[in-house]
Structure formats: C-alpha cells, structure tokens
Amino acid sequence: MVIKEGEADLDALDPSERGRNRAGRGARGERAMRMMMKARMDTQMSNQVTKGGAMPNSLKSAIERLKPEAAYFTPEGGRSMILVFDMQDSSQLPSIADPFFQEMGAEVTFEPVMNLDDLQRGLAALKEQS
C-alpha cells in the first residue's frame, strides 16, 4: 500500500492492497510485525475532542504515522478504532499509544495478527519441521 505524504484520507486505503504483507525490516534488522491496535476511547474525553473539532486531526495524524493497511471504526464499548499496521520495533509502543491516552483517555491494546499469506507461510514452516 502506498500513501503519499499528506494523504491520510481513509479513501487512500486501496482495497486491493489490504491484507498484503508489507512488512519490512525493523531497526535491528528483524522483520516488522503486523499488529492490530484497538483504541477504546473514553466517552467524555472523546466527546470534548469531537465537539472541539480536533477528532479529524487526531485520526489523520494516527493514519499518517502508522500507515495502516486497514482502519475500522466501531461503537464497541463507546467510540473505538481498530488499526492493522506493521510495527517496526517494540520501542514504538509508547509513541503509538500515548496520543490516544492523552487526547482521548483511551484504553489501548495491541495484538500480533496474521493475514492468510502469513498463516500459510507459518503452516508450511511447520510442515517442513515434521
């Protein structure tokens, strides 16, 4: 997926690119890991951000920084956002989560995830070990 600089519009997430393995190499040479981040925002804090007009800028900033292959928004437990992106290094966790903590009082979780290609490679590696 290619997002041009300054292009953080969710329409820029080309459906043909979703689910592709874009993982590169991290700072220490490891392969990047596809992560799913779920941010469940505090209703009162996110109401203030929304009423103040800052919500679009906050979301745009997150999209520009993380360049997710998928972005979903849901009312699960209040305002929630799910992003699937490649994390280059675990040291990125604080800088990714902190804006959501500070701006929206969010509860943020991260989970490593795979797409179908990743799963097939993993299963093939298991078969080779047998």
Side-chain angles (χ1 to χ4, degrees):
M1 173 174 74
V2 176
I3 296 180
K4 297 178 182 91
E5 186 157 337
E7 181 181 69
D9 188 341
L10 294 180
D11 293 333
L13 298 175
D14 180 358
S16 68
E17 295 286 336
R18 290 183 184 144
R20 285 194 185 169
N21 188 351
R22 303 175 298 115
R25 298 286 171 185
R28 293 178 292 217
E30 311 87 31
R31 188 172 183 98
M33 181 173 289
R34 180 175 284 110
M35 298 294 287
M36 179 176 66
M37 180 189 84
K38 186 181 286 187
R40 186 173 301 155
M41 299 161 220
D42 176 77
T43 301
Q44 288 184 359
M45 284 184 77
S46 63
N47 281 347
Q48 290 173 357
V49 171
T50 300
K51 286 179 184 175
M55 183 68 80
N57 289 336
S58 294
L59 295 178
K60 179 180 177 180
S61 175
I63 299 293
E64 286 176 344
R65 279 183 298 119
L66 300 175
K67 297 177 179 40
E69 69 182 60
Y72 301 100
F73 304 89
T74 175
E76 178 189 326
R79 286 187 181 97
S80 295
M81 175 175 65
I82 300 166
L83 299 178
V84 178
F85 64 97
D86 290 332
M87 182 180 292
Q88 300 301 316
D89 191 275
S90 60
S91 66
Q92 293 177 277
L93 284 168
S95 65
I96 293 170
D98 203 61
F100 294 99
F101 294 147
Q102 290 197 22
E103 295 171 19
M104 293 173 246
E107 176 185 314
V108 181
T109 59
F110 293 87
E111 290 183 50
V113 294
M114 295 181 284
N115 64 18
L116 183 58
D117 291 338
D118 297 333
L119 177 62
Q120 288 173 336
R121 280 195 313 277
L123 293 174
L126 279 176
K127 189 175 181 179
E128 291 173 10
Q129 291 176 359
S130 319

